[in-house]
Amino acid sequence: DGEQWRAAAESHRDALRELIAEEVENNKERVKGALQAADFNIELSRTLLNKVKEDISAELAHVVGKLENCKAKLEEYQEEMESEDIDDPILVQGNIAQVEDEQKYLGDQLDKCNKMKKRLETGLKAAEDQSGALAALQKSVGCMPMDATERDCARDAADDCYEKFTLWGKGSANSAAR
């Protein structure tokens, strides 16, 4: 009786192990598609974030250049105000006020750009972290990461859906101040 019971238990245990192994393999196969989609989406997101970061960097450079021009204009107007042979001090004071307004506007734009760049860098770091975690998960279930062709496809999709535009306004600081 004991031997029969033991043999039956071992037989059931072996059958259960086989069933578990089959289910593990089936679940691995089911999850591979989701992992491949996640890999594609991470690459797509990373590409889009990099494109926006490039635009932000260009916007930052543009704003910094305009701020430098404002500084030079302001120095010029202030020298003119201090000179003895000033023709129209009211006009020069108006010009100084206009340049100071533009500097304020551009300073606000610079702050916005810097904050956005920081958020984008945080997003890119998160994408990198997720990519690493995904690679470990893919490895554990025997799913191959995307190959170069699939990565290019994700990047092309990002290119197709991304449109460059001025991030912070359609016009210059002068047109916004009018």
Side-chain angles (χ1 to χ4, degrees), residues 76-98:
E76 180 183 313
Y77 290 143
Q78 287 171 340
E79 286 175 13
E80 189 175 344
M81 280 298 290
E82 293 170 3
S83 76
E84 304 244 344
D85 58 339
I86 186 169
D87 290 332
D88 190 352
I90 294 174
L91 177 65
V92 176
Q93 285 175 338
N95 289 340
I96 288 173
Q98 184 179 7

Side-chain angles (χ1 to χ4, degrees), residues 30-50:
R30 283 186 210 121
V31 80
K32 284 181 181 180
L35 292 175
Q36 289 168 336
D39 201 6
F40 182 90
N41 288 335
I42 289 171
E43 187 62 32
L44 178 77
S45 298
R46 187 179 5 214
T47 303
L48 288 170
L49 287 168
N50 276 319

Side-chain angles (χ1 to χ4, degrees), residues 1 3 15 17 55-56 61 67 75 83 87 113 115 136 140 142 172:
D1 251 352
E3 281 300 316
R17 283 184 178 160
D55 281 353
I56 289 287
L67 278 168
E75 288 172 2
S83 76
D87 290 332
C113 286
K115 287 176 185 175
S140 73
S172 68

Side-chain angles (χ1 to χ4, degrees), residues 7 37-38 58 104 134 163 175 177:
K104 169 78 173 103
L134 181 64
E163 186 177 325
S175 65

Side-chain angles (χ1 to χ4, degrees), residues 4 28 40 93 122 149:
Q4 272 185 332
K28 282 182 179 180
F40 182 90
Q93 285 175 338
T122 300
T149 303

